[in-house]
Amino acid sequence: MLKINYFLWLIIPLLFSCSNEKEEYINIPLEFTVPSNFPDLAYNMTQNPPTEKGFELGKKLFYDGRLASDGVVSCGFCHIQANAFTHHGHTVSHGVDNAQGTRNTPPIQNLAYQTTFMYDGAADHLDLQPIIPLTSIIEMNGNLNAILKMMKADKEYQKLFGQAFDDGAITTENMLKALSQFMVMVTSSNSKFDKYRRKEAGGALTTDELAGYDLFKSKCASCHATDLMTDNSFRNNGLAVNPMVKDVGRYRVTELAADYYKFKVPSLRNVEVSAPYMHDGRFGTLEGVLDHYESGITDSPTLDPLLKQNGKLGIALSETEKKQIIVFLKTLTDHQYLTDKRFSEY
């Protein structure tokens, strides 16, 4: 009897210790610094501040195929880190049961600086954006009720939600907030170009890179503006309409005739590794993209005025200028971002 009592006396404090450890866990805020060469944030961090466990939960959700109807297609299935979180090599995204969409997978970098998402701007808040691919029948085909049921039965999700949020609730709102915390932290700001702009070590540009940068500023930066390399606007860049798809772009959201065939201007960060290009992935190389702007523009009522000046279509570019612009674009590759283990699945 004395031995049993002695055992209980030893084990009870351990049980209380484990219980208190869980209850007293402090969720550590994550530091988020706006790079000196970046514009102001668009995302309101005070409403959903990134934390250690919120980020960990968001990352788990991002790579969890169980959110899709087939148990396979996660967010990370189409957003591959090594390719700036795009679906490299695929003209358009592939979803459940190998269903194919109509648009190329966009990169997810520096989303905290944007106010609209998707090529047509269908989402105007980062917390709401994931609902679109989650519930799309040709992407993840997920059911929110089924996803909640799965998470509530999963011990790791129970623990993470409990640590990440004050209410500890496994809800759609908290799930979306966790995904945002992960995506907000997925920031690309350490390319050779960034170091050049911030006058840091490793930022010396070559003669051709500087020439390409000057050309870029005069011929491309009206749309690919600021060091984010996008002005986040919607523009018709003169692509011939694919008769098999007839994607009307921004018009699908606004139903304004002025928005026909306008798509969101993508950031050119890490563009070296994110082929193919354009909203439908029609160009496999950067050379093909520049050839389009030089001689492939299709006129239409909503064509961006910058591509039709003095009665001429396109942007005048010599072969040498194209090469120099491409050399400059490669300075936008952020190798730290592409290999950062904080963002990787394993």
Side-chain angles (χ1 to χ4, degrees):
M1 188 67 178
L2 286 173
K3 290 183 178 179
I4 295 174
N5 287 339
Y6 181 70
F7 174 76
L8 290 174
W9 188 63
L10 283 175
I11 198 69
I12 288 172
L14 290 175
L15 293 174
F16 275 110
S17 174
C18 293
S19 175
N20 289 339
E21 183 181 345
K22 181 178 180 181
E23 291 173 2
E24 294 172 4
Y25 176 83
I26 298 174
N27 194 12
I28 302 169
L30 291 179
E31 181 181 359
F32 187 98
T33 303
V34 176
S36 60
N37 58 317
F38 274 28
D40 292 337
L41 282 171
Y43 189 79
N44 188 342
M45 293 287 190
T46 62
Q47 296 296 314
N48 185 29
T51 63
E52 185 180 80
K53 290 301 177 181
F55 175 88
E56 185 179 337
L57 173 57
K59 177 178 172 179
K60 178 176 173 60
L61 289 162
F62 186 84
Y63 288 110
D64 194 341
R66 292 178 296 170
L67 273 62
S69 63
D70 65 355
V72 175
V73 178
S74 65
C75 302
F77 181 86
C78 286
H79 295 283
I80 302 167
Q81 182 182 3
N83 302 109
F85 288 97
T86 63
H87 208 184
H88 179 66
H90 293 271
T91 303
V92 294
S93 60
H94 290 230
V96 295
D97 301 320
N98 205 35
Q100 293 191 27
T102 58
R103 293 176 180 170
N104 181 244
T105 302
I108 54 167
Q109 57 199 0
N110 305 329
L111 297 181
Y113 300 88
Q114 302 177 34
T115 55
T116 52
F117 308 91
M118 314 299 284
Y119 277 113
D120 55 13
D124 60 6
H125 197 292
L126 185 58
D127 292 358
L128 301 177
Q129 184 278 332
I131 294 175
I132 297 174
L134 273 172
T135 59
S136 167
I137 60 173
I138 58 172
E139 292 188 59
M140 297 175 72
N141 194 35
N143 178 286
L144 293 177
N145 289 327
I147 292 170
L148 288 174
K149 183 178 179 181
M150 177 274 291
M151 293 189 298
K152 288 177 180 179
D154 185 288
K155 289 185 178 180
E156 189 174 356
Y157 274 127
Q158 293 170 17
K159 180 180 178 181
L160 283 173
F161 273 95
Q163 294 174 331
F165 296 102
D166 290 341
D167 61 8
I170 299 179
T171 62
T172 300
E173 179 182 357
N174 283 345
M175 176 185 73
L176 294 172
K177 282 186 173 181
L179 281 166
S180 284
Q181 288 187 38
F182 174 72
M183 292 189 290
V184 157
M185 296 302 296
V186 178
T187 300
S188 175
S189 61
N190 284 298
S191 65
K192 183 178 182 179
F193 173 72
D194 290 305
K195 294 171 183 176
Y196 166 78
R197 291 281 289 154
R198 297 194 294 258
K199 298 180 173 58
E200 296 173 354
L205 300 187
T206 67
T207 300
D208 277 342
E209 289 168 346
L210 286 169
Y213 184 31
D214 285 338
L215 287 165
F216 182 86
K217 287 186 287 187
S218 66
K219 295 177 181 289
C220 313
S222 295
C223 301
H224 298 286
T226 78
D227 286 3
L228 294 178
M229 294 292 151
T230 175
D231 64 354
N232 293 312
S233 67
F234 298 86
R235 298 175 186 259
N236 176 348
N237 65 342
L239 292 171
V241 177
N242 183 342
M244 301 297 293
V245 179
K246 294 183 180 178
D247 192 336
V248 294
R250 181 69 170 157
Y251 175 81
R252 193 172 78 171
V253 175
T254 66
E255 295 188 346
L256 297 174
D259 285 334
Y260 263 115
Y261 309 123
K262 290 185 178 180
F263 296 87
K264 188 177 179 183
V265 176
S267 170
L268 296 181
R269 285 182 163 272
N270 301 297
V271 72
E272 178 185 6
V273 300
S274 62
Y277 308 108
M278 301 299 177
H279 69 273
D280 55 6
R282 69 177 65 191
F283 299 125
T285 65
L286 291 172
E287 287 81 1
V289 171
L290 292 180
D291 287 345
H292 162 73
Y293 283 115
E294 190 267 325
S295 60
I297 299 295
T298 297
D299 197 5
S300 70
T302 60
L303 177 67
D304 195 287
L306 292 172
L307 296 174
K308 187 177 182 179
Q309 299 190 58
N310 302 317
K312 295 181 180 180
L313 294 176
I315 301 171
L317 289 168
S318 68
E319 293 305 309
T320 297
E321 288 174 329
K322 291 177 188 177
K323 290 178 182 177
Q324 289 175 328
I325 289 174
I326 290 173
V327 168
F328 164 69
L329 290 176
K330 291 181 179 181
T331 71
L332 303 177
T333 304
D334 182 350
H335 296 286
Q336 177 182 324
Y337 167 75
L338 300 175
T339 58
D340 195 323
K341 293 189 180 299
R342 293 176 303 162
F343 310 145
S344 64
E345 182 175 6
Y346 303 110

